[in-house]
């Protein structure tokens, strides 16, 4: 397993007042995902981001049982066409990923950034991980929601059960009642995760 890395983009004004943590999809890296994100966002000349730090963690490199090759992934999958298949295979990696991403959230808060000024963003498999990060964070800090959540082209394993403990989204009945902005979106022509997967969990139905 490769050493985890974090691509960090410091604020243009050198002072941090808000933080965005963005999780990439399967097979990508924090460096590559940052480059893709900033192709559409000019943070240097946009005053909205003058005091925003961007964090792009990279998932560990593991040998995927599904593809029989080494790649970066937050957890292993039995099938990308049916990501709800064999949810037990996802538990170990997903649990480690959740615990890992909770760390920079706590670190930013300890450095004086209010939770309300921290945005958690994600795409594809990173979306899946980020939803569970948010779920775990809210279980620990129910009265301190983050500033917002962005999920792009993903799904939620465990929405109908099948995952143990904090990873079972069926437990999070309060999830649709969180007092924070949420943006969930999915490309209609996504060739990896079919668009109908976006409607297979009650959380997205409650939040959008």
């Amino acid at each position: 397993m490769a050493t985890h890395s974090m691509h960090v983009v410091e604020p243009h004004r050198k002072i941090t007042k808000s933080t965005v943590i963005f999780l990439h999809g399967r097979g990508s890296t924090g460096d590559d995902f940052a480059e893709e994100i900033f192709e559409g966002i000019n943070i240097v000349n946009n005053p909205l981001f003058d005091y925003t730090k961007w964090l792009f963690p990279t998932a560990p490199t593991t040998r995927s049982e599904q593809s029989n090759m080494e790649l970066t992934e937050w957890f292993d999958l039995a099938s990308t066409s049916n990501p709800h298949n064999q949810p037990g295979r996802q538990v170990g990696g997903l649990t480690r990923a959740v615990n890992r991403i909770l760390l920079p959230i706590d670190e930013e808060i300890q450095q004086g950034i209010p939770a309300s000024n921290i945005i958690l963003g994600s795409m594809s498999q990173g979306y899946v991980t980020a939803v569970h990060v948010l779920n775990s964070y809210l279980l620990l800090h129910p009265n301190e929601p983050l500033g917002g959540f962005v999920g792009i082209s993903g799904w939620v394993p465990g929405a109908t059960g099948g995952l143990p403990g904090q990873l079972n989204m069926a437990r999070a009945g309060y999830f649709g009642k969180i007092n924070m902005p949420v943006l969930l979106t999915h490309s209609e022509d996504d060739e990896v995760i079919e668009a109908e997967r976006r409607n297979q969990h009650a959380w997205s139905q409650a939040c959008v």
Side-chain angles (χ1 to χ4, degrees), residues 124-203:
S124 192
Q125 197 188 61
Y127 169 115
V128 180
T129 304
V131 166
H132 288 296
V133 170
L134 182 59
N135 182 42
S136 296
Y137 172 83
L138 291 174
L139 286 172
L140 295 170
H141 310 281
N143 299 317
E144 300 177 28
L146 299 181
F149 180 90
V150 177
I152 304 170
S153 296
W155 77 99
V156 177
T160 56
L163 293 179
Q166 67 181 26
L167 296 181
N168 189 346
M169 295 303 298
R171 298 179 61 245
Y174 62 88
F175 217 23
K177 303 176 183 178
I178 56 177
N179 184 25
M180 57 180 281
V182 172
L183 172 63
L184 304 179
T185 183
H186 201 117
S187 173
E188 293 291 346
D189 59 355
D190 190 325
E191 296 180 355
V192 178
I193 303 299
E194 297 175 2
E196 55 263 29
R197 300 293 177 193
R198 66 186 175 181
N199 294 323
Q200 291 186 355
H201 53 89
W203 185 69

Side-chain angles (χ1 to χ4, degrees), residues 33 41 72 86 104 117 144 178 193 198 200 204:
F33 193 41
I41 303 176
T72 54
Q86 300 182 35
N117 285 6
E144 300 177 28
I178 56 177
I193 303 299
R198 66 186 175 181
Q200 291 186 355
S204 67

Side-chain angles (χ1 to χ4, degrees), residues 40-168:
I41 303 176
N42 188 339
I43 62 171
V44 174
N45 297 320
N46 191 329
L48 290 175
F49 303 114
D50 277 351
Y51 301 97
T52 299
K53 179 196 296 182
W54 298 75
L55 302 179
F56 296 88
T58 293
T61 299
T62 61
R63 176 162 290 278
S64 168
E65 294 185 28
Q66 184 260 336
S67 61
N68 193 29
M69 61 183 295
E70 288 194 349
L71 47 71
T72 54
E73 58 179 4
W74 299 105
F75 55 89
D76 200 16
L77 282 171
S79 169
T80 53
S81 61
N82 182 13
H84 296 291
N85 186 28
Q86 300 182 35
R89 177 182 292 186
Q90 305 165 12
V91 172
L94 189 52
T95 300
R96 288 189 293 272
V98 167
N99 291 334
R100 177 189 167 198
I101 302 304
L102 285 173
L103 289 177
I105 295 176
D106 290 340
E107 289 171 356
E108 291 301 301
I109 293 173
Q110 291 171 9
Q111 292 174 16
I113 306 302
S116 58
N117 285 6
I118 298 175
I119 306 294
L120 183 59
S122 53
M123 182 174 182
S124 192
Q125 197 188 61
Y127 169 115
V128 180
T129 304
V131 166
H132 288 296
V133 170
L134 182 59
N135 182 42
S136 296
Y137 172 83
L138 291 174
L139 286 172
L140 295 170
H141 310 281
N143 299 317
E144 300 177 28
L146 299 181
F149 180 90
V150 177
I152 304 170
S153 296
W155 77 99
V156 177
T160 56
L163 293 179
Q166 67 181 26
L167 296 181
N168 189 346

